[in-house]
Amino acid sequence: MSSAATGERMGVEWRLAAPLGLTYLAFFAAPLVILLVMSFSVDDNLGGFTIASWVKFWGDPFYRGVVWDTLRLGLVAVAVTTLFAYPIALLFVASSPGMQRLLLFIVLLPLLTSVVIRTFAWIVILSREGVLNQALLALGLTSVPLNLLQTELGLVIALTQIEMPLMLLPLITVMGQIDPSLSDASRALGSSRWRTFRKVIVPLSLPGWIAGATLVFASATTAFISQTVIGGARLVYLPTLIWQQAMVVYNWPFAAVASVTLLVAVLAGVSAFAMLGRFARTS
Amino acid sequence: MHNPSTLSDATSQPLTLDAVSHSYGDALAVDRVTLEVRAGELVALLGPSGCGKSTLLRIVAGFINQTEGRVIIGDRVVDPLPPNRREVGIVFQSYALFPHMTVAENIGYGLEARGESKATCRERVQEMLATVRMEGFGERKPRQLSGGQQQRVALARALAVRPRILLLDEPFAALDKNLRLDMQIEIKRLQRQFGLTAIMVTHDQDEAMSIADRIAVMSRGRIEQLGSPVAIYDEPETLFVNDFIGSSNRFEGSVETVASDLYGVRLASGAIWTVTSRRSFSKGDPVLVTIRPEQLALTSKAAPDTIPVSLKLSLPIGGELIHDVESPAGEAFKVASPRRPGASLDMSSSMHCALAAHAKPILFPRPAA
Ligand SMILES: Nc1ncnc2c1ncn2[C@@H]1O[C@H](COP(=O)(O)OP(=O)(O)O)[C@@H](O)[C@H]1O
Ligand SMILES: [Mg+2]
């Protein structure tokens, strides 16, 4: 009886989900299949079958380096946003409601401007004649202007600001749900603030951190605009490589290989974070 | 080295609050509270919600730094110490068990924080599980336990580190009624066994009456009265305490005769009651007389100290009948009488209300209208 009812409901749900499902099939799954086929093609007409593009990509240390740099950029972005997000989240949950609204507004601010504008703003800040260098020079902290544009450091600084909301929002949400008396209990039992943070706050906020880390990783590895505008021609990541191969060199099969590689790399990173979460919950 | 037999002779320490005040911004939450809790004594802070009980408890635990006054444990002023150095055990209303840890890990948490060896921790966790009768539950997660069991684990966790003071914030509020009595007995047993100095916060007078050695009745941040449960019940010092504890009737009257501490008071209905009071009044003073329903009785005989009444309602409550009555002068009040099977009140004749034998009405000054 109940299984028949569930079956019926499933039927209805399928019909409700069908329009979106078909859209996905036509505009998401199908292009993916074409992309995969393209990566094994001889030319950009999907003709022939060859693994030459794959061999060329993975046989060349330069391209392998690009894959590694891309993954590393994602991990560094996750690490740096984590480092800044936890103190802000702790401050947030300890604040009064009015203060929380103000903090939330500041956190969301980057999302209210377009990526392009935010990225160009960072150029103004990071360039040799930029705000940051002028401040450092004025303070006497450096005698020559630092080169931050077209460096990984500059890119990470910009990405950290741009992607902070993605880490902070899930983290704040989860930390706000932790019973404040848990910290009090830990303190009364003789734990320092630091031990309380490590033993109670971190494990209980892990679901929020994993959601945030997943978003930051996926978004930092694929941040084409920031990577090209701040990284320039000197730093090449997978999205830039794909663009060059597809739009400049017109080697579509090779661009397809890079695309599939990026897709798999991001998915691998994302599943690694998900698995970390499952592992932490069971242990 | 710790061993189980030293468990009960933990050195208990007195706790002193010396003129402690606390304000949240402009709002005064605790107002010059002075309280001495003797070593091994359980004091209940009793009062309506919002009167500052939790704030006081959090000051003792060190979560809040009071704006004025001192907290002394043993002979040491603990104000500069952070919560993790005060050796105060606290049981929260929500239990605050760590949901990601097992019961055993919860109980061992404080021991580990103090750097006890793994072996000592394991041994003491087992010992504490036995103390709260939860053997075999060590590997469960808190969410797999009932409310009462969680409460026991919270107690075991607080007691495992042998605190100098035990604080309980509304410990029974989240339990259903049947479990409450069990846990009250359990807490009293553990507090005695460990010889603990304890403060329990509650807004439930029955709870306070049943397990506290002394009760501090609080109102608007101040302690109104501190005394044994019996003293608080029989000799309330303020109208607030009188009204907050138990149920009580109020009569308006004025002093007619004065003979040392014996006052003849004429009530609105004309009855004259003779009342002893430690307060002094003069002839003609407007007063309030309060008396508990069980110290009044219904009778059919009129006398100078009886009030003619008409019965409006009788309700059997437990072993008592509560009569809701009214006098011709418009005084409405309650009279309690023991409920005897078969016996019924004679409703036909006129009824009067008299003071029962050993009744002790209480006099309070009444602001003249
Ligand atoms: N964190 C706080 N900030 C501001 N006011 C508070 C805070 N905590 C409690 N109060 C106020 O202080 C008073 C006493 O609160 P509390 O100690 O929690 O009372 P109780 O435990 O007796 O119910 C209340 O009026 C309450 O609104
Ligand atoms: Mg409270």
Side-chain angles (χ1 to χ4, degrees), chain A residues 122-204:
Chain A
W122 274 108
I123 290 192
V124 174
I125 296 171
L126 296 176
S127 68
R128 290 182 75 84
E129 304 80 35
V131 183
L132 189 63
N133 268 319
Q134 283 176 7
L136 289 176
L137 286 169
L139 289 171
L141 291 173
T142 175
S143 51
V144 285
L146 295 179
N147 210 1
L148 288 167
L149 282 180
Q150 311 206 356
T151 66
E152 201 177 50
L153 176 63
L155 181 55
V156 167
I157 292 175
L159 280 179
T160 300
Q161 187 260 343
I162 291 167
E163 262 136 38
M164 200 49 135
L166 301 181
M167 175 61 88
L168 260 176
L169 285 180
L171 197 60
I172 282 175
T173 309
V174 172
M175 292 214 349
Q177 286 162 356
I178 300 176
D179 180 358
S181 46
L182 292 180
S183 301
D184 290 345
S186 167
R187 300 276 284 138
L189 286 165
S191 287
S192 61
R193 281 179 197 283
W194 173 238
R195 186 173 189 266
T196 301
F197 177 70
R198 255 182 332 117
K199 294 278 187 175
V200 179
I201 305 296
V202 168
L204 291 177

Side-chain angles (χ1 to χ4, degrees), chain A residues 179-193 195-201 203-204 281-283, chain B residues 58 63 82-85 88 90 92 94 96-101 106 109-114 141 157-158 161:
Chain A
D179 180 358
S181 46
L182 292 180
S183 301
D184 290 345
S186 167
R187 300 276 284 138
L189 286 165
S191 287
S192 61
R193 281 179 197 283
R195 186 173 189 266
T196 301
F197 177 70
R198 255 182 332 117
K199 294 278 187 175
V200 179
I201 305 296
L204 291 177
R281 225 167 304 146
T282 49
S283 69
Chain B
R58 297 176 64 76
F63 301 135
N84 52 325
R85 305 269 311 283
V88 166
I90 179 160
F92 295 87
S94 62
L97 296 176
F98 305 123
H100 57 299
M101 297 181 197
N106 264 285
Y109 186 87
L111 300 167
E112 251 181 54
R114 270 152 222 235
K141 285 282 175 72
R157 182 178 69 177
V161 293

Side-chain angles (χ1 to χ4, degrees), chain B residues 289-303:
Chain B
V289 187
T290 70
I291 186 151
R292 308 253 176 225
E294 66 269 22
Q295 296 184 4
L296 291 174
L298 293 179
T299 159
S300 51
K301 290 190 292 286

Side-chain angles (χ1 to χ4, degrees), chain B residues 146-180:
Chain B
S146 71
Q149 291 171 329
Q150 291 185 25
Q151 168 86 277
R152 284 166 200 271
V153 175
L155 263 172
R157 182 178 69 177
L159 296 180
V161 293
R162 294 157 205 250
R164 297 191 290 172
I165 307 285
L166 180 65
L167 305 177
L168 305 148
D169 194 356
E170 309 256 0
F172 312 112
L175 296 175
D176 51 42
K177 216 163 172 76
N178 298 332
L179 251 170
R180 259 184 226 186

Side-chain angles (χ1 to χ4, degrees), chain B residues 24 29 48-55:
Chain B
Y24 294 106
S49 92
C51 71
K53 309 181 295 289
S54 297
T55 303

